[in-house]
Amino acid sequence: MQHYVLISPPPIAYLITNGDIMDQRPFAIIAGVGAGTGAAVARRFAKQYPVALLARSPKFASELVSQIEADGGIAASFQANVSDEESMNLAFDAIKEKFGTKCAAAIFNASSRPFPKPFLWQSQDDLAYGLDISLTEFVPTLIFTGATASVKANAWMQPFTVSKHALRALSQTLSREFEPQGVHIAHVIIDGVIRMPLTRLLKLFSAWDAKLDPDAIAESYWHLHAQSLSSMTSEIAIRPFCETW
Amino acid sequence: MQHYVLISPPPIAYLITNGDIMDQRPFAIIAGVGAGTGAAVARRFAKQYPVALLARSPKFASELVSQIEADGGIAASFQANVSDEESMNLAFDAIKEKFGTKCAAAIFNASSRPFPKPFLWQSQDDLAYGLDISLTEFVPTLIFTGATASVKANAWMQPFTVSKHALRALSQTLSREFEPQGVHIAHVIIDGVIRMPLTRLLKLFSAWDAKLDPDAIAESYWHLHAQSLSSMTSEIAIRPFCETW
Amino acid sequence: MQHYVLISPPPIAYLITNGDIMDQRPFAIIAGVGAGTGAAVARRFAKQYPVALLARSPKFASELVSQIEADGGIAASFQANVSDEESMNLAFDAIKEKFGTKCAAAIFNASSRPFPKPFLWQSQDDLAYGLDISLTEFVPTLIFTGATASVKANAWMQPFTVSKHALRALSQTLSREFEPQGVHIAHVIIDGVIRMPLTRLLKLFSAWDAKLDPDAIAESYWHLHAQSLSSMTSEIAIRPFCETW
Amino acid sequence: MQHYVLISPPPIAYLITNGDIMDQRPFAIIAGVGAGTGAAVARRFAKQYPVALLARSPKFASELVSQIEADGGIAASFQANVSDEESMNLAFDAIKEKFGTKCAAAIFNASSRPFPKPFLWQSQDDLAYGLDISLTEFVPTLIFTGATASVKANAWMQPFTVSKHALRALSQTLSREFEPQGVHIAHVIIDGVIRMPLTRLLKLFSAWDAKLDPDAIAESYWHLHAQSLSSMTSEIAIRPFCETW
């Protein structure tokens, strides 16, 4: 029997076995742990749960594991090529062995941001959106990271905007199906430049507050996870106070 | 010089003087303190701030003041007919005298819910929507309570839906104007039956979790207030897990 | 018995008596007949129906009547202060006497476009939105003219955007109530600069095609009116090909 | 040099060569010619243009060609497996040979409607959405057929709703890119049961007017094509008067 969730628009996979083995400690999975939102969300959920970090390249994720452990948390990183189902299955076998099967929350933060270019310049490869999904059981909380492109389609951004619209549709249709069963599925639009080493230079040209604070974003992800069944929010957008949209 | 905000769709008024008198203790204003959302939001904000409660009839608000004081908070209720500017001015003079001018958050939770009826049965009075607004300065956080009718128009609900659409438009246009100045303006859609003494009977017919927990709603209001300038949410909807919409 | 429709956000009034007196010739009412959309819609509907033109000042409407008559159509103009119910009643009495009671289509094109200004500069008068509506019977087609402000709220535009959101909500709630009875109610967002004598000068600075052709708009209004009951559209937006939004 | 448009969510391909060979007669391409919308749109456009009909199975398309020819029009059908690029290329070579390269309008009406089923019952194949697109030049008008699932996500409908959201995003991003170049790209939401031999039986249970008339739909497609550059509509929804949504 399979116990995997593959959610991959762009592709990623989740282990969604949540056997009710009550002596197991619940853990969280963060898929897509770059220097911005992913890392901050991992640190925030690590205050409460052991966290399994999924990343394409293990370097940054390993450093993050060290940071989290230095702060008294429990973390492990798992290398996975999310577009390769075999690689995903191996990663989830490893997660299961390490943390068990009681997943409390899964954050899907993976994304590809192709360089904008005119439609006629795009190759077939630019336009391949794998939406391969398989899943057996759900975690209590499942959060997807979207973008303004999830609801607005700009020129030249068509691969990104098509996949982000598709991801939001997926989030909503899953929400309609699984929320009556007690699963909290949320979609978060992140709109703005995120404060990261990479964007620090831009500080010269704009106010620091004008950049999204990843820790503040993570606090909102945690708030979504902490909402009670009776009073849930399924979509939020997060923007700096000065973002025009 | 006037220091009032009248925000009244249906009408209500806020004192929005926020003179930077640093030795004043910031306080919060909750307008519309019935047994559900308003009371819960008042209790939540009272954990941090003295709260000024605005209500049409002083009875429930007085009991709420006693509750909050019993829990160690500071509160005062102010009677006001929100459709009457004179009455509002008097109330705000009283608030200013009691709490000063450093308002940290204002929650606009007043609403009229006319009984649904066909358009042709409505009188002119059913259709009068006062949108009388005056304002001089803004508080750091201003939250409006909306409903699904803010974004969806059902038959027979036209007075309610027109005023709720108008309220959301107001929230958005204010947000576009004042967020760049650091004011957090948010619109919250509450969709579902709220757990209240009045709706307790309905427990017989539906799951308890299927009713919105006012304390959980209040926690989301507080989360909005607590968000940093860099990472703000201007619209959320809150629904029970089983609400179809 | 009253036979009037007052639809006034900003205020206007329609005669909506449609007694099934089969020997009467159906006519159309166009409310708000300025040099742009209103005039073009009037000319288009005059190809099929006698048209009653409602205007605040009779001068332009009278010239339009002459044009329509010169083209072989039937038209009459009626002066009315749409914010004054008495004035409206008089106008509709006159329309009834002139054209009877068989109204085939009513186009609500009246709008006020207050000069944009900051919220704090607005007086109470800027913020009074009369939504006084009374109505007894409906015409087969009722079309409202909206704007991008009907769905998007920009800073400084708050009186306009609040009333346009309210008008769209009204259109939708009426649509939900009356479409099952066979009434076609549509909302048209006009987004862009309209070709008019006033805007002709702007030709120097932008392509002529970049301005909305009122006759093309009128053709779309007519298409909405001509749609069959089985296959109706309740919302469209009309933009020049080069409009960014 | 390639002259093909492959637009395939679900996959289909268009020849979009529109060399300005002025002595060529412009023609239209209708992709997806079943008994409902596709056939009606083909008949409507055949009043003005020769039409190239693309279909998976040639039987219905051949009958439609006979009908159109009997009415004095010009039509030809082309078998194509729209998920197979090779098959598409062959079909477009044939179209080019038959009608030339001056395509005036392309209607993308192909769709798959998988039987609704719970997410956990879906196989990988249910979830494969090919969004393979290649394109060199655009036709003056390009219309996509959507559904309510383009903007609303219901439970169990996730393959359909994800692909319909993606299709609408594609339509919008293309619109933003190509409308400034004078290409009219529109998305039409068809919401309701279409009058077809298959749905005739349902007449017993509901009003005939409650079913979408394909000819009326086709008239709206034609209206979109006929709109002037200055005054275009990029999204409409078409519903029976009694459809609740």
Side-chain angles (χ1 to χ4, degrees):
Chain A
M1 176 189 171
Q2 277 291 83
H3 281 281
Y4 298 116
V5 185
L6 286 181
I7 294 186
S8 49
I12 196 71
Y14 291 127
L15 171 65
I16 303 293
T17 55
N18 55 354
D20 286 294
I21 309 165
M22 293 307 291
D23 57 343
Q24 282 193 1
R25 183 172 174 192
F27 65 98
I29 298 175
I30 322 294
V33 283
T37 303
V41 170
R43 281 192 301 265
R44 181 63 185 83
F45 278 72
K47 291 182 186 176
Q48 181 80 21
Y49 301 119
V51 290
L53 313 181
L54 278 174
R56 182 166 301 182
S57 98
K59 193 172 170 304
F60 179 82
S62 303
E63 288 168 22
L64 187 56
V65 167
S66 304
Q67 278 178 35
I68 289 172
E69 288 174 345
D71 291 341
I74 297 171
S77 73
F78 301 86
Q79 197 275 333
N81 176 358
V82 291
S83 61
D84 175 4
E85 195 176 345
E86 259 335 283
S87 152
M88 283 293 98
N89 284 348
L90 291 172
F92 281 114
D93 285 343
I95 290 177
K96 205 191 307 194
E97 197 170 332
K98 175 85 180 174
F99 290 121
T101 57
K102 200 171 177 182
C103 182
I107 315 298
F108 177 78
N109 187 55
S111 182
S112 66
R113 296 198 173 242
F115 196 75
K117 55 182 169 180
F119 189 72
L120 298 184
W121 294 8
Q122 287 164 359
S123 70
Q124 289 296 107
D125 283 350
D126 285 324
L127 300 153
Y129 310 112
L131 280 166
D132 306 310
I133 293 164
S134 76
L135 167 144
T136 55
E137 297 172 61
F138 260 102
V139 289
T141 302
L142 180 56
I143 303 178
F144 295 92
T145 300
T148 296
S150 305
V151 291
K152 188 178 172 187
N154 290 325
W156 289 36
M157 296 300 290
Q158 152 267 329
F160 185 60
T161 208
V162 168
S163 85
K164 281 298 185 190
H165 271 71
L167 181 62
R168 180 169 168 261
L170 176 66
S171 171
Q172 290 194 335
T173 187
L174 293 180
S175 175
R176 301 287 172 108
E177 180 172 351
F178 291 100
E179 283 199 358
Q181 302 171 30
V183 178
H184 187 180
I185 296 170
H187 182 264
V188 181
I189 291 175
I190 307 287
D191 181 5
V193 177
I194 295 185
R195 290 183 202 170
M196 288 191 295
L198 212 75
T199 62
R200 201 171 286 269
L201 280 176
L202 299 171
K203 190 183 176 183
L204 303 170
F205 306 110
S206 70
W208 190 231
D209 269 345
K211 293 192 191 59
L212 290 155
D213 174 4
D215 292 330
I217 295 174
E219 209 57 55
S220 290
Y221 277 64
W222 181 260
H223 176 67
L224 290 171
H225 176 58
Q227 282 185 318
S228 83
L229 269 187
S230 85
S231 311
M232 299 196 310
T233 297
S234 58
E235 283 208 323
I236 64 170
I238 298 177
R239 293 184 176 85
F241 71 104
C242 55
E243 189 76 13
T244 57
W245 47 286
Chain B
M1 179 189 169
Q2 278 291 81
H3 281 281
Y4 298 115
V5 184
L6 286 180
I7 294 185
S8 51
I12 195 77
Y14 291 128
L15 171 65
I16 303 293
T17 55
N18 55 356
D20 285 295
I21 308 164
M22 293 308 290
D23 56 344
Q24 285 193 0
R25 184 173 173 190
F27 65 97
I29 298 175
I30 322 294
V33 283
T37 304
V41 170
R43 280 193 300 266
R44 182 62 185 84
F45 278 72
K47 290 181 185 174
Q48 181 80 22
Y49 301 119
V51 290
L53 313 181
L54 278 174
R56 181 166 301 184
S57 96
K59 192 171 172 304
F60 180 82
S62 302
E63 288 170 21
L64 187 57
V65 166
S66 304
Q67 279 178 35
I68 289 172
E69 287 174 346
D71 291 341
I74 297 171
S77 74
F78 301 86
Q79 196 276 334
N81 177 357
V82 291
S83 62
D84 175 2
E85 197 177 342
E86 259 336 284
S87 151
M88 283 294 98
N89 284 347
L90 290 172
F92 280 114
D93 284 343
I95 290 178
K96 208 192 306 195
E97 198 169 330
K98 175 87 179 172
F99 290 122
T101 57
K102 199 169 176 183
C103 182
I107 314 298
F108 178 78
N109 188 55
S111 182
S112 66
R113 295 198 174 242
F115 196 75
K117 56 182 168 180
F119 189 72
L120 298 185
W121 294 8
Q122 286 164 359
S123 69
Q124 290 295 106
D125 282 351
D126 285 325
L127 300 154
Y129 310 113
L131 280 166
D132 306 311
I133 292 163
S134 76
L135 169 142
T136 53
E137 296 173 60
F138 261 102
V139 288
T141 301
L142 179 56
I143 302 178
F144 297 92
T145 299
T148 297
S150 306
V151 290
K152 189 179 172 187
N154 289 327
W156 289 35
M157 296 299 290
Q158 152 267 328
F160 185 60
T161 209
V162 168
S163 85
K164 281 299 186 191
H165 272 70
L167 182 62
R168 180 169 168 263
L170 176 66
S171 170
Q172 290 194 336
T173 186
L174 293 180
S175 174
R176 301 287 172 109
E177 181 173 350
F178 291 100
E179 283 198 359
Q181 303 171 30
V183 178
H184 187 180
I185 295 170
H187 182 263
V188 180
I189 291 175
I190 307 287
D191 181 4
V193 177
I194 294 185
R195 289 183 203 169
M196 288 190 297
L198 210 76
T199 62
R200 202 171 287 268
L201 281 176
L202 299 172
K203 189 182 175 182
L204 302 170
F205 306 109
S206 71
W208 190 231
D209 269 347
K211 293 192 191 59
L212 290 155
D213 175 4
D215 292 330
I217 295 174
E219 209 56 56
S220 290
Y221 277 64
W222 181 260
H223 176 67
L224 290 171
H225 176 58
Q227 282 184 317
S228 83
L229 269 187
S230 85
S231 311
M232 300 195 308
T233 296
S234 58
E235 284 208 322
I236 65 171
I238 298 177
R239 294 184 175 85
F241 71 105
C242 54
E243 188 76 12
T244 56
W245 47 287
Chain C
M1 177 190 171
Q2 278 290 84
H3 281 281
Y4 298 115
V5 184
L6 286 180
I7 295 185
S8 50
I12 196 72
Y14 290 128
L15 171 65
I16 302 294
T17 56
N18 56 355
D20 286 297
I21 308 166
M22 293 308 290
D23 57 345
Q24 284 193 1
R25 184 173 174 192
F27 66 96
I29 298 176
I30 321 295
V33 282
T37 304
V41 169
R43 282 193 299 266
R44 182 61 186 84
F45 279 71
K47 290 183 184 174
Q48 182 81 20
Y49 302 119
V51 291
L53 312 181
L54 278 174
R56 182 166 300 182
S57 98
K59 193 172 170 302
F60 180 82
S62 303
E63 287 169 21
L64 186 56
V65 166
S66 306
Q67 280 178 35
I68 289 172
E69 288 175 346
D71 290 342
I74 297 170
S77 73
F78 301 86
Q79 197 276 333
N81 177 358
V82 291
S83 62
D84 174 4
E85 195 176 346
E86 260 335 284
S87 151
M88 285 292 97
N89 283 348
L90 290 173
F92 281 114
D93 284 343
I95 290 177
K96 206 192 306 193
E97 197 170 329
K98 175 85 180 174
F99 290 122
T101 57
K102 199 170 176 183
C103 182
I107 314 298
F108 177 78
N109 188 54
S111 182
S112 66
R113 294 197 175 243
F115 195 76
K117 55 182 168 180
F119 190 72
L120 298 185
W121 295 7
Q122 287 165 357
S123 69
Q124 289 295 106
D125 282 349
D126 284 324
L127 300 154
Y129 310 112
L131 279 167
D132 306 311
I133 292 163
S134 76
L135 167 145
T136 54
E137 297 173 61
F138 259 102
V139 288
T141 301
L142 179 56
I143 302 178
F144 296 92
T145 300
T148 296
S150 306
V151 290
K152 189 179 171 187
N154 289 327
W156 289 34
M157 296 299 291
Q158 153 267 329
F160 185 59
T161 208
V162 168
S163 85
K164 281 299 185 190
H165 271 71
L167 182 63
R168 180 169 168 262
L170 176 66
S171 171
Q172 289 195 335
T173 187
L174 294 180
S175 175
R176 301 288 172 109
E177 180 172 351
F178 291 100
E179 283 198 359
Q181 303 171 31
V183 179
H184 187 180
I185 295 170
H187 181 263
V188 181
I189 290 175
I190 307 288
D191 181 6
V193 177
I194 294 185
R195 289 183 203 170
M196 289 191 296
L198 212 76
T199 60
R200 201 171 287 268
L201 280 176
L202 299 171
K203 191 183 175 183
L204 301 170
F205 306 111
S206 71
W208 190 229
D209 269 346
K211 293 193 190 60
L212 290 155
D213 175 4
D215 292 329
I217 295 174
E219 209 56 55
S220 290
Y221 278 64
W222 182 260
H223 176 67
L224 289 171
H225 176 58
Q227 281 185 318
S228 83
L229 269 186
S230 85
S231 311
M232 299 196 309
T233 296
S234 59
E235 283 208 323
I236 64 170
I238 299 177
R239 293 185 175 85
F241 72 104
C242 55
E243 189 76 13
T244 57
W245 46 286
Chain D
M1 178 188 169
Q2 278 291 81
H3 282 278
Y4 298 115
V5 185
L6 286 180
I7 294 186
S8 49
I12 195 77
Y14 290 127
L15 172 64
I16 301 295
T17 56
N18 55 357
D20 287 294
I21 308 165
M22 292 308 290
D23 56 344
Q24 285 194 1
R25 183 173 173 190
F27 65 97
I29 298 175
I30 322 294
V33 283
T37 304
V41 170
R43 281 193 300 266
R44 181 61 186 83
F45 278 72
K47 290 182 185 175
Q48 181 80 21
Y49 301 119
V51 289
L53 313 180
L54 278 174
R56 182 166 303 184
S57 98
K59 193 172 170 303
F60 180 82
S62 303
E63 288 169 20
L64 186 56
V65 166
S66 305
Q67 280 179 34
I68 289 171
E69 288 175 346
D71 290 341
I74 297 170
S77 73
F78 301 86
Q79 197 276 334
N81 177 358
V82 291
S83 61
D84 174 3
E85 196 176 344
E86 260 333 285
S87 152
M88 284 294 98
N89 284 347
L90 291 172
F92 280 113
D93 285 344
I95 290 177
K96 207 192 308 194
E97 197 169 332
K98 176 85 179 172
F99 290 122
T101 56
K102 199 170 175 182
C103 182
I107 315 298
F108 177 78
N109 187 54
S111 182
S112 65
R113 295 199 174 241
F115 196 75
K117 56 183 169 180
F119 189 72
L120 298 185
W121 295 6
Q122 287 165 358
S123 69
Q124 290 295 106
D125 282 350
D126 285 324
L127 300 153
Y129 310 111
L131 279 166
D132 306 311
I133 293 163
S134 76
L135 168 144
T136 54
E137 297 173 60
F138 261 102
V139 288
T141 302
L142 180 56
I143 301 178
F144 297 92
T145 300
T148 296
S150 305
V151 289
K152 189 178 170 187
N154 289 327
W156 289 34
M157 296 299 289
Q158 152 266 329
F160 185 59
T161 208
V162 168
S163 85
K164 281 300 186 191
H165 271 71
L167 182 61
R168 180 169 169 262
L170 176 66
S171 171
Q172 290 195 335
T173 188
L174 293 180
S175 175
R176 301 287 172 111
E177 180 172 350
F178 290 100
E179 283 199 0
Q181 303 171 30
V183 178
H184 187 179
I185 295 170
H187 182 262
V188 180
I189 291 175
I190 308 287
D191 181 6
V193 177
I194 294 185
R195 289 183 204 170
M196 288 190 297
L198 211 75
T199 62
R200 200 171 288 268
L201 280 176
L202 299 172
K203 190 183 175 182
L204 302 169
F205 306 110
S206 71
W208 191 230
D209 268 347
K211 293 192 192 60
L212 289 155
D213 174 5
D215 292 330
I217 295 174
E219 210 56 55
S220 290
Y221 277 65
W222 182 258
H223 175 68
L224 290 171
H225 176 57
Q227 283 185 316
S228 84
L229 268 187
S230 85
S231 311
M232 300 196 308
T233 296
S234 58
E235 283 208 322
I236 64 171
I238 298 177
R239 295 185 174 85
F241 71 105
C242 54
E243 188 77 12
T244 56
W245 47 285

